[in-house]
Amino acid sequence: MRDVSIIGIGQTPAGEHWDRSLRHLAYDALAAAMRDAGVERADALYVGNMLSGEISGQAHLGALVADFAGLRGAEAVKVEAACASAAAAFRQAYIGVASGLQDIAIAVGVEKMTDDVGSKLTAGLASAADADYEVIHGISFVALNALIMQRYMHEYHVQREDFANFAINAHANGVGNPNARFREAISREAFLKSNMVATPIGLLDASPMADGAAAVVLCPTEQAREFTENAVRVAGSALAIDSLSVHDRRDPLWLQAAETSAQKAYRQAGVGPQDIDFFELHDAFTIMAALSLEASGFAGRGKGTWLARDGEITPQGKIPIATRGGLKARGHPVGATGLYQIVEAAQQLRGEAGDNQLANARLGMTQNIGGSGATIVTHIFERVH
Amino acid sequence: MSVEIARHWRLNPQRYQLVGEECPHCGHKMFPPRDVCPECADNSHQPEFKFSGRGEVFSYSTVYNPPEGYEDNAPYTVALVKLEEGPLITAQLTDVRNDDVQIGMPVEMTTRKITTQGDEGLVIYGYKFRPQLAA
Ligand SMILES: [Zn+2]
């Protein structure tokens, strides 16, 4: 297996792009990543996306985006794993290059959500869950996370207020990210007063939807220097699954797929959680941030909110998370989110994170979650320059 | 039979009677039925197991922004119910005020209208759970 590095990154702002369609958004990010890498062709293109069929009436994104981007020579395919689609697409590109079958592979995540902000979007998002045994009962995607959060608060004697720090940290960091959908800090009072969507999840526990696209270019590490002085090495890559539905989990309060994929990634990278300098986790809801920290080895069971309470998740803390705003403030363009996380991690490791730049960041981890925990993709990246 | 109706018709044993399965190898009781036991990977024919319909609230959430087709009852409370035979099941609660729901509350299955779907107004019935009536 060959060692693999990221040699180019690109993204569009996450937000409402009334004037840009799916293919335009994908091309904007992809072209930016190719310019950044200085490549004009690719052997393969992997398109991460969840909702194009439901929202845009468009399937078959591999061919659509490759053709639109002038990449007819490349093999191209869409990768779908609900909200984990983009990191899953990245992993396919990684496997392509690591295997030796492809020298230049591009992963782009793209989502167009604002063309339908009503029932089609709600139904589309819910389709990540079990249609016959969860969704049929009037369970929205928010409600599934709410069931987990309510039980979590009960078992671990945690209050809703204890989750506020996740949202406050994300929004504070989002201020410094020009690509974030929301660039305003929020107060504890605003968090506590926010309207309930599905108890105990309020509006400020939840990440906002957005349109957006993000992309990276990969090549073998031994060739990376031909393209850039700023390569970021893929030190660990893993994807794990758990039951699709929450009710089939052995323990609904434990993200088994996060533990499994994180442990595999740690092993491949030869590191442990104590070596990770920052963590771009999947804070679609505040409860997911807590569960992700616990299953990935940063906090004990039921103690994810303690890390947040003690300030350890801020840029000055032991394990900074959501350093560019996370899903909560940057926005959550579902099938693109995993590549936003990876692009943001690469920015930190390249020293290009602007107002959010961490000092001496050498190892960064990303974790992208599909559904309520069914598909979880964990990556570890290393600064090499 | 339209394909939409078939999709729901084939689930009738589950929706009306909580018919699941019991693994002949390890005894694991499952709802809904599966072709392969998630605990021991046994894939031989699994005998049906009818759940009693009694259990307790494991977790709950009151939904204020319902999906399309569920607006009539909103806000309503959904729950993970722990059946007395073991499995968790996802369902709506009924015959109880949203504010009165608590974790640990004993509940039992009842059959109700779940939703009306599609242009033809297909009405879907199935299980909900209500507080157990005092014996
Ligand atoms: Zn078994």
Side-chain angles (χ1 to χ4, degrees), chain A residues 119-120 122 130-140 142-144 146-151 154-155 196-200 243 245-250 252, chain B residues 7-8 11 14-15 31-34 38-39 57-65 67-68 70 76 78-80 88-92 103 114-115 117 124 127:
Chain A
S119 55
K120 265 204 296 191
T122 311
D130 188 323
D132 289 341
Y133 292 99
E134 291 183 315
V135 182
I136 191 67
H137 297 291
I139 301 253
S140 60
V142 185
L144 282 173
L147 289 170
I148 297 172
M149 184 166 168
Q150 185 78 258
R151 182 71 194 187
H154 172 82
E155 274 194 29
M196 281 293 137
V197 184
T199 58
S243 71
S245 56
V246 174
H247 56 236
D248 280 337
R249 306 263 159 84
R250 285 200 178 86
Chain B
R7 188 194 140 197
H8 295 289
L11 294 171
Q14 282 72 52
R15 294 232 173 109
F31 184 89
R34 287 167 171 261
E39 293 300 323
V57 173
F58 179 83
S59 192
Y60 64 93
S61 171
T62 300
V63 178
Y64 287 92
N65 64 335
E68 188 177 16
Y70 297 85
Y76 52 85
V78 296
L80 288 170
L88 284 176
I89 182 172
T90 304
Q92 279 189 33
I103 287 176
I114 293 182
T115 181
Q117 287 198 335
I124 295 167
Y127 51 81

Side-chain angles (χ1 to χ4, degrees), chain A residues 254 259 262-263 266 273-274 291-300 365:
Chain A
W254 188 252
E259 181 186 358
Q263 289 302 330
Y266 289 142
Q274 70 283 354
L291 294 180
S292 186
L293 285 168
E294 293 169 24
S296 305
F298 296 103
M365 187 156 112

Side-chain angles (χ1 to χ4, degrees), chain A residues 179-242:
Chain A
N179 291 306
R181 175 154 194 195
F182 291 112
R183 303 191 61 194
E184 283 173 16
I186 62 163
S187 66
R188 185 168 301 272
E189 292 67 37
F191 176 88
L192 290 174
K193 276 197 225 148
S194 67
N195 286 337
M196 281 293 137
V197 184
T199 58
I201 290 184
L203 203 57
L204 287 181
D205 287 286
S207 56
M209 58 131 178
D211 301 333
V216 302
V217 182
L218 295 176
C219 84
T221 298
E222 60 179 20
Q223 294 169 29
R225 277 205 165 259
E226 298 168 24
F227 299 98
T228 178
E229 295 294 303
N230 235 347
V232 170
R233 187 176 162 262
V234 184
S237 170
L239 182 154
I241 64 116
D242 199 347

Side-chain angles (χ1 to χ4, degrees), chain A residues 149-164 166 200 287 290 294 301-306 309:
Chain A
M149 184 166 168
Q150 185 78 258
R151 182 71 194 187
Y152 184 98
M153 289 163 54
H154 172 82
E155 274 194 29
Y156 299 132
H157 308 288
V158 170
Q159 307 300 314
R160 174 165 181 266
E161 182 175 356
D162 298 323
F163 292 88
F166 291 118
I287 177 67
E294 293 169 24
R301 191 179 278 260
K303 294 179 179 167
T305 62
W306 297 19
R309 177 196 65 197

